[in-house]
Amino acid sequence: MNNIEKVLIDEAALNNKVLELAEIINCDYKDKRLIMIGILKGSIAFMADLLRHITIDDVEIDFLKVSSYGSSTKSSGVVRIVQDLEIDIAGAHVLIVEDILDTGRTLSYIKQFLESRKPASIKICTILNKPSRREIEIEADYVGFDIPDEFVVGYGLDFDQKYRNLPYVGVLKTGGK
Ligand code: IMP
Ligand code: MG
């Protein structure tokens, strides 16, 4: 791919990490009713890979589509729910599945939104984390990789809706933006 300056996390590293996270989640939610909630669209690759390694019997999935107002590379923190859940999460254990935790604004809004529906618990699982960018105090319970403050694409993450199809996480060339 011409517009990629460098590959930050290759396909094999992603696969290994997803398996590692799934094993921990399988232990933590054994014998519980788990609802995995993917945040659209960025989480689709991670959600699909993670789900295939989940061995809990009582697992359901659902999706929440949100959009954040603001420029394409910076989250404004003003989040709008574009598509709500189908499943009633009251009393269930919720695991939010996200592509990246950046400033924390999006996930903090989503967590509060879901908390109002009285699930038994809510945890966050993100494949990528940019700790240096945090503006709101929020941490994920399961983190794939801590990455530096660089704009990344691939494995579900986009720039201007493109590059979600790349099987790795890469940094865009500045000209590619
Ligand atoms: P936050 O509200 O700043 O934590 O932003 C979270 C959302 O911003 C993510 O769900 C992504 O959609 C987007 N985002 C943040 N950093 C990146 C990046 O490096 N590449 C692509 N999307 C990003
Ligand atoms: Mg996103």
Side-chain angles (χ1 to χ4, degrees), residues 15 18 30 64 82 98 130 132 135 147 168:
N15 286 339
V18 169
K30 196 172 179 287
L64 192 64
V82 177
E98 189 38 320
K130 279 188 201 166
S132 63
E135 290 171 16
I147 61 166
Y168 53 83

Side-chain angles (χ1 to χ4, degrees), residues 11-12 19 21 31 45 47 56 63 66 71 81-82 86 95 105-106 108 114 121 138 140 145 153 155 157 162:
E11 207 173 339
L19 190 54
L21 290 173
D31 303 321
M47 178 70 151
I56 297 155
F63 295 92
V66 301
S71 71
I81 305 291
V82 177
E86 196 173 71
L95 182 63
R105 292 181 182 278
T106 307
S108 117
L114 295 177
S121 70
I138 181 167
F145 301 90
V153 294
Y155 200 62
L157 291 109
K162 289 191 284 281

Side-chain angles (χ1 to χ4, degrees), residues 65-106:
K65 186 170 184 183
V66 301
S67 83
S68 151
Y69 295 104
S71 71
S72 45
T73 54
K74 200 173 181 307
S75 155
S76 64
V78 184
V79 180
R80 189 165 57 97
I81 305 291
V82 177
Q83 186 189 302
D84 204 341
L85 301 177
E86 196 173 71
I87 300 175
D88 179 8
I89 61 170
H93 294 275
V94 164
L95 182 63
I96 301 172
V97 178
E98 189 38 320
D99 53 357
I100 188 165
L101 180 52
D102 188 32
T103 65
R105 292 181 182 278
T106 307

Side-chain angles (χ1 to χ4, degrees), residues 147-163:
I147 61 166
D149 182 8
E150 285 185 288
F151 193 81
V152 293
V153 294
Y155 200 62
L157 291 109
D158 71 307
F159 172 71
D160 209 7
Q161 298 299 335
K162 289 191 284 281
Y163 309 108

